[in-house]
Amino acid sequence: MAMDFNEVIIGFDLGRNSSVLTFYHQNNTEPKTVSAVAGEEKYQIPTPRDLFPLIEQKVELGVALLSNFFKVCFEKLSAVGPMSGAVVMVTMAEMRRDWVQAIRQALEMLGIPKDKVYLQDYLESFYYYALSQKKDLWRYKVGLFSYEEDFITGYELHINGKTKPAMVSVKNRGRICLDEKTRGSRKPEHWKRMKDVRFLEHAKKVMGTDAYSTVYLVGDGFDQSWEQESLKYLCSRRKVFLGRNLYSKGACYGAMSLAGIKPLGNYIYAGPDMIEHNVGMKMFKRGIESRMDMINAGINYYMAYFECEFILDGTDELVFFTRSIHGESMAHKVRLTDLPKRPNRATRIHMEITFTAKDKCRIRLEDMGLGELYKSSGKKWEAVIEL
């Protein structure tokens, strides 16, 4: 995607309790996070309390509420440029199918088309953030500790430089619970010391003897009032950063990379939702047979979409070719049963390809007829290719 010179790129961290807005424009050298309070580094914008329950229960009002929330947040960028031309990357702790649809609908209500909307989870935002920093900060492994609600979860970002392109993974290395039940009757100072000890033990277990360049601490639970011994350990021969806008900045960097403004280079994020297969068909274009690639490996399955129309040429069977990132190739046949009988090249087919999971490709086909000569029969076909 080529970015227009005046476009605004937005990274939006959509959280259950609070959200964070980061943007990039040609006047900036780097993404900038918007403060909810002018002149202060208070990035959390309260998320409407009913938003998550409404979307998760699939109540129609939820999409309207989400669209209005986006609108209110984007108004903070009114001096930068019109939001109708914005490129938006929304990131969440987990990007589920109900949220994918709701986010696209909500942004479309603001005039932002789906081809300018990108989606990813927190761990992919962490990947984009980490690799958008100076290389010294990710020369070795990179650690992330997220303190959300009552849990501290540790993650490890690892780059496999033996593959081309290099595959980057983020692994969950376990978590510890620091809730009120764990605290018991301990007084505040005693509880702080205990949290420090528990976190120190957890950090040592996560990182072991591996070499880490950098460690990021994310979440409201980290406030530098109790992390005494654990910070001493983390800061030994490593860079340590504490912040609350890593995910929104990572989302912004992700959109910038996709827009070609700040590409990461020869790296692929191997996340749990990543499609591992290219999907294509052989077609005749201007009389020459060629393979048309429709879905490329390396993207999240919920971002995969392809749509086109074509004319059938003496067949009622379509052949799709898939090739995995590991090199295996396969052919998959889809038959258009009970296809209306017409002269050759008198049937136009509309095709839509999506994925319902990383290894399930859904193909929807519809008979469109051919102009006034041959009306559409209304027949539709659907097939799922399991990869």
Side-chain angles (χ1 to χ4, degrees), residues 2 42 75 183 231 281 285-286 352 368:
K42 293 186 177 180
E75 284 174 352
R183 175 177 179 173
L231 275 180
M281 283 180 66
K285 191 172 183 179
R286 297 186 180 91
E352 181 183 84
M368 305 299 291

Side-chain angles (χ1 to χ4, degrees), residues 332-366:
H332 311 265
K333 296 180 179 181
V334 176
R335 185 173 295 279
L336 306 178
T337 55
D338 300 323
L339 183 70
K341 294 187 181 301
R342 302 188 183 113
N344 194 28
R345 299 185 183 179
T347 297
R348 181 165 51 99
I349 298 293
H350 178 267
M351 179 171 67
E352 181 183 84
I353 300 178
T354 57
F355 274 67
T356 59
K358 63 177 291 184
D359 55 357
K360 287 184 173 60
C361 176
R362 182 169 61 190
I363 300 169
R364 288 173 169 166
L365 303 146
E366 182 177 358

